[in-house]
Amino acid sequence: MGSAILIVLFALLCSLSGGYAVTYNVISKRLNSNNPVLTFQQAGASVFNYNYNTAYVPLFDGDQRSSALLVRCQNATTDEYTTTPSVLALTKLNMNNLLDMNAEPITAKSVVVQPESSTDAFGTEDPRVVYDHKDGTYYLLYSAVQSKPVISKLSLATTKTPFNASSWVRHGPVLPDAGWSKSGSLLIRPSAPHYLFWGDSNTVCGLSVATSNDLLNWTNIHNGTFLPCRPKGFDANLVEGGPMPLPLSDGNYLYIYNSARHGFPSAKPNWDMQYNVGWAILDGTDPTKVLQRCDTPLLSPELAWEIGTKPFLGLTPNVVFIEGWTQLGQNSFVAFYGAADSVIGALAINVDITK
């Protein structure tokens, strides 16, 4: 009798809570045999010294799909820590063998977005690309950074032919009233509202969330309160937007975010940050609701080329940073990450869902 009552109470609690408890286990594994997918130190790979923080760009030719990377690129000038303004270069990527991926060489002709006025003279940085299957439009969120004073504005550009530099239409700042904005993760829903998770903890240690009905005009609904920094965690000092959330088999979303903490001295003067990658599960009906958040990083800088240990490049040591990824199966993904603000690595991500 007692056990029957417990079963009924358990079923009632599950019903009241919306169903049985679900646990998500997100695991990662480096691809490409633990080597960078793209690095200047591979002969002929790029005319730029630093190639990092890439968006993933799906390409379509009829029923055939292929891949490209939109890469943030810079050259060193007077020393290894002083650079030219960032440009965005597009290159095709061969993903047929995940243990041996390779990108086509990046040349000056690969650049499709670059500074063109005082509003972005410091650089066009940190691209994130979302493809809208409904009308074939590519939405590019990037940081347009002015130089005097240095101010970042999260900006939007669109195209249907990404390799044609002249086809990119620049729409200006996404949030024109924000004094500083960057790092936008765009979630295009089947119907409005659409969501934008954005920010780099510049004013409040956490992310902001905006919504839109047309993907062009945005209204903030959370100001720095989404996925806040956790004082004793790997994300203690910074939380920054990652790539767009992607759906899981149960209808919820996996969201990847970037983060940082102090306490990791490096060869770079006055730099002691370590950047790590975290994850959260967002509700499929209300993506502003966090169902689960990781306690440990999904990815940390561990390999020499992620830390920036010589002879490897190290514009910014101890950094791994994800801005682009693609879905392989219902709960499996491949992400591309910047390492030491110098090269690009690849990561397999798999999600186990248990009830």
Side-chain angles (χ1 to χ4, degrees), residues 261-310:
R261 55 185 169 183
H262 287 289
F264 295 82
S266 70
K268 185 172 184 175
N270 304 314
W271 179 259
D272 75 337
M273 297 280 272
Q274 181 198 62
Y275 272 70
N276 303 277
V277 175
W279 60 268
I281 303 298
L282 309 184
D283 184 82
T285 302
D286 178 6
T288 66
K289 181 180 178 181
V290 178
L291 303 180
Q292 186 176 327
R293 184 177 178 181
C294 63
D295 294 319
T296 57
L298 180 68
L299 180 68
S300 295
E302 297 172 347
L303 303 180
W305 52 270
E306 297 169 344
I307 297 170
T309 304
K310 292 187 182 305

Side-chain angles (χ1 to χ4, degrees), residues 57 59 66-69 89-93 104 109-112 138 159-168:
V57 180
L59 304 175
S66 57
S67 302
L69 299 178
L90 188 61
T91 180
K92 290 184 178 180
L93 176 72
E104 292 186 357
K109 293 182 179 180
S110 305
V111 175
V112 294
Y138 293 86
T159 187
K160 292 189 177 183
T161 53
F163 278 95
N164 182 354
S166 65
S167 73
W168 285 95

Side-chain angles (χ1 to χ4, degrees), residues 5-274:
I5 293 174
L6 287 175
I7 291 172
V8 171
L9 287 173
F10 179 72
L12 178 61
L13 288 171
C14 288
S15 174
L16 292 174
S17 64
Y20 292 94
V22 178
T23 300
Y24 299 84
N25 183 32
V26 183
I27 56 176
S28 65
K29 181 181 180 181
R30 290 173 178 83
L31 297 172
N32 211 48
S33 303
N34 284 354
N35 295 312
V37 173
L38 179 62
T39 172
F40 172 76
Q41 291 179 309
Q42 180 181 347
S46 176
V47 297
F48 296 96
N49 300 132
Y50 303 120
N51 305 266
Y52 62 109
N53 289 10
T54 182
Y56 174 83
V57 180
L59 304 175
F60 300 92
D61 182 8
D63 294 332
Q64 300 299 311
R65 174 171 169 166
S66 57
S67 302
L69 299 178
L70 184 61
V71 183
R72 178 179 174 180
C73 299
Q74 293 176 282
N75 274 320
T77 57
T78 55
D79 60 67
E80 62 183 308
Y81 303 123
T82 306
T83 61
T84 57
S86 294
V87 300
L88 304 181
L90 188 61
T91 180
K92 290 184 178 180
L93 176 72
N94 184 345
M95 290 182 62
N96 292 334
N97 181 357
L98 297 183
L99 298 179
D100 186 21
M101 289 184 278
N102 56 84
E104 292 186 357
I106 291 179
T107 69
K109 293 182 179 180
S110 305
V111 175
V112 294
V113 176
Q114 60 187 316
E116 63 176 18
S117 72
S118 60
T119 62
D120 56 11
F122 196 78
T124 48
E125 304 177 354
D126 295 345
R128 293 155 172 86
V129 172
V130 179
Y131 179 76
D132 189 349
H133 289 271
K134 293 191 295 292
D135 64 2
T137 299
Y138 293 86
Y139 289 82
L140 164 64
L141 279 301
Y142 68 101
S143 297
V145 187
Q146 71 175 47
S147 58
K148 295 181 181 180
V150 175
I151 297 176
S152 174
K153 292 284 191 178
L154 179 61
S155 298
L156 173 67
T158 58
T159 187
K160 292 189 177 183
T161 53
F163 278 95
N164 182 354
S166 65
S167 73
W168 285 95
V169 177
R170 302 195 191 198
H171 300 273
V174 173
L175 300 155
D177 294 332
W180 176 282
S181 59
K182 64 183 305 185
S183 302
S185 315
L186 173 61
L187 174 59
I188 299 178
R189 304 267 281 174
S191 60
H194 310 289
Y195 291 84
L196 182 67
F197 306 88
W198 68 275
D200 67 339
S201 302
N202 181 267
T203 55
V204 180
C205 208
L207 298 182
S208 297
V209 184
T211 59
S212 173
N213 291 326
D214 62 6
L215 297 171
L216 296 177
N217 300 285
W218 294 87
T219 302
N220 263 334
I221 59 173
H222 290 277
N223 286 295
T225 59
F226 185 77
L227 293 178
C229 297
R230 296 178 288 189
K232 296 183 179 180
F234 65 88
D235 42 16
N237 300 112
L238 177 143
V239 170
E240 187 167 349
M244 69 285 201
L246 287 176
L248 296 169
S249 59
D250 65 353
N252 295 320
Y253 294 101
L254 175 62
Y255 181 55
I256 301 296
Y257 68 91
N258 300 292
S259 68
R261 55 185 169 183
H262 287 289
F264 295 82
S266 70
K268 185 172 184 175
N270 304 314
W271 179 259
D272 75 337
M273 297 280 272
Q274 181 198 62

